[in-house]
Amino acid sequence: MSGDDSPRAGGPLLELDGVDKRFEDTHALRDVSLEVAAGETAVLIGSSGSGKSTVLRLIIGLLSPDAGRVRFDGAAVDCGDAAPHRRRIGYVIQEGGLFAHLSARDNVTLLARHLGWEPSRIEQRVGELSQLVQLPADALARFPVQLSGGQRQRVSLMRALMMDPDVLLLDEPLGALDPITRAELSRDLKDIFRSLGKTVLMVTHDVGEAGFFGDWVALMSEGQVVQRGTLPELVERPATPFVERFIAAQRGPLSGGAA
Ligand code: ADP
Ligand code: MG
């Protein structure tokens, strides 16, 4: 679509190859290999601490691997010079990560202003995006604390989409929302992904969400990918007893039960 920066044909857009990552005495990732093709929506699922956010931070170049390789569109991700690379990725961090001292509008437009976009171009893009994410116009002038949780996530998504990235990385975007807001935003997010046709890698700990969004899911435990497949594949043919337990644990007595 957009000249030099559009993704190459063939080959995965995102790639982790035998990646290891340690933080002092925590072995956060162990020999993780994953590939996400252009246009796919992939979901990383797993318990808290299983390494999901670390995978996203490696892809965007906030961390470098201790062993193995991380590639974006065929090129190794260089943490020292990640700025051009980061512009091709929209990142919604866990808890949204909006700057509290900036209005919603200023959060969304920060990078574009930094890059010297014309005000009229910025306005046009903000208009398109607020329509896309269905944010009421008066919400743009408010500070994050003055927005509802769902509105904050819509603003975070606008900020992530501002530069029209090839890839969206979303870290538990529905994590902190009440059930009704969560259901609404889930449907809207899915429509947005479909209409934009972007490559999406989403993190969640919720099996239902993983199945709702993911073309495929990768279940992580203790820094390893335990199984990758469609959710029905994981349900019907769990690779290990852990996979079975993880899925069964979320079909508790309140969710209507046995299958
Ligand atoms: P998840 O997103 O699945 O909850 P993370 O990727 O955030 O898990 O973390 C994986 C493991 O690495 C956890 O044990 C976490 O405490 C540890 N960890 C993550 N980031 C750091 C860090 N910057 N310093 C030390 N430990 C970290
Ligand atoms: Mg996390």
Side-chain angles (χ1 to χ4, degrees), residues 48-49 51-54 57 94 171-172 203:
S48 180
K52 307 180 299 295
S53 297
T54 301
R57 290 190 198 111
Q94 213 167 343
D171 201 342
E172 307 208 22
V203 163

Short mmCIF file of all heavy atoms in Angstrom, two decimals, residues 48-49 51-54 57 94 171-172 203, ligand 2:
data_model
loop_
_atom_site.label_atom_id
_atom_site.label_comp_id
_atom_site.label_asym_id
_atom_site.label_seq_id
_atom_site.Cartn_x
_atom_site.Cartn_y
_atom_site.Cartn_z
N SER A 48 -0.30 -15.30 34.31
CA SER A 48 0.54 -14.17 34.67
C SER A 48 1.96 -14.67 34.91
O SER A 48 2.16 -15.69 35.56
CB SER A 48 -0.06 -13.54 35.92
OG SER A 48 0.71 -12.47 36.31
N GLY A 49 2.95 -13.98 34.34
CA GLY A 49 4.34 -14.36 34.53
C GLY A 49 4.87 -15.39 33.55
O GLY A 49 6.02 -15.81 33.64
N GLY A 51 5.52 -14.97 30.41
CA GLY A 51 6.45 -14.40 29.44
C GLY A 51 5.79 -13.68 28.28
O GLY A 51 6.48 -13.24 27.34
N LYS A 52 4.48 -13.48 28.32
CA LYS A 52 3.76 -12.90 27.18
C LYS A 52 4.21 -11.47 26.87
O LYS A 52 4.51 -11.14 25.73
CB LYS A 52 2.24 -12.92 27.47
CG LYS A 52 1.70 -14.28 27.86
CD LYS A 52 0.20 -14.27 28.14
CE LYS A 52 -0.24 -13.36 29.28
NZ LYS A 52 0.26 -13.76 30.63
N SER A 53 4.24 -10.63 27.90
CA SER A 53 4.62 -9.23 27.66
C SER A 53 6.07 -9.13 27.20
O SER A 53 6.42 -8.26 26.40
CB SER A 53 4.43 -8.39 28.94
OG SER A 53 3.07 -8.36 29.31
N THR A 54 6.90 -10.03 27.70
CA THR A 54 8.31 -10.03 27.29
C THR A 54 8.43 -10.28 25.78
O THR A 54 9.26 -9.65 25.11
CB THR A 54 9.10 -11.09 28.09
OG1 THR A 54 8.98 -10.78 29.48
CG2 THR A 54 10.57 -11.12 27.70
N ARG A 57 7.72 -7.01 24.10
CA ARG A 57 8.81 -6.03 24.28
C ARG A 57 10.02 -6.36 23.41
O ARG A 57 10.74 -5.47 22.97
CB ARG A 57 9.22 -5.97 25.75
CG ARG A 57 8.17 -5.32 26.61
CD ARG A 57 8.69 -5.03 28.02
NE ARG A 57 7.57 -4.82 28.89
CZ ARG A 57 7.19 -5.65 29.87
NH1 ARG A 57 7.91 -6.74 30.14
NH2 ARG A 57 6.14 -5.39 30.59
N GLN A 94 0.19 -2.93 28.45
CA GLN A 94 -0.69 -3.38 29.51
C GLN A 94 -1.10 -2.16 30.33
O GLN A 94 -0.27 -1.30 30.59
CB GLN A 94 0.07 -4.40 30.38
CG GLN A 94 -0.80 -5.48 30.95
CD GLN A 94 0.02 -6.64 31.52
OE1 GLN A 94 1.20 -6.82 31.22
NE2 GLN A 94 -0.62 -7.45 32.34
N ASP A 171 -1.39 -5.60 24.52
CA ASP A 171 -1.11 -6.36 25.74
C ASP A 171 -2.30 -6.28 26.69
O ASP A 171 -2.50 -5.26 27.34
CB ASP A 171 0.16 -5.82 26.41
CG ASP A 171 0.78 -6.84 27.36
OD1 ASP A 171 0.06 -7.78 27.76
OD2 ASP A 171 1.96 -6.69 27.69
N GLU A 172 -3.08 -7.32 26.74
CA GLU A 172 -4.29 -7.40 27.57
C GLU A 172 -5.15 -6.14 27.44
O GLU A 172 -5.45 -5.48 28.43
CB GLU A 172 -3.89 -7.65 29.03
CG GLU A 172 -2.98 -8.87 29.15
CD GLU A 172 -3.08 -9.58 30.49
OE1 GLU A 172 -4.09 -9.43 31.17
OE2 GLU A 172 -2.13 -10.31 30.82
N VAL A 203 -2.14 -10.18 23.46
CA VAL A 203 -1.89 -10.96 24.66
C VAL A 203 -3.14 -10.98 25.52
O VAL A 203 -3.80 -9.95 25.69
CB VAL A 203 -0.73 -10.33 25.47
CG1 VAL A 203 -0.71 -10.84 26.90
CG2 VAL A 203 0.59 -10.58 24.79
MG MG B 2 2.05 -9.13 30.91
#
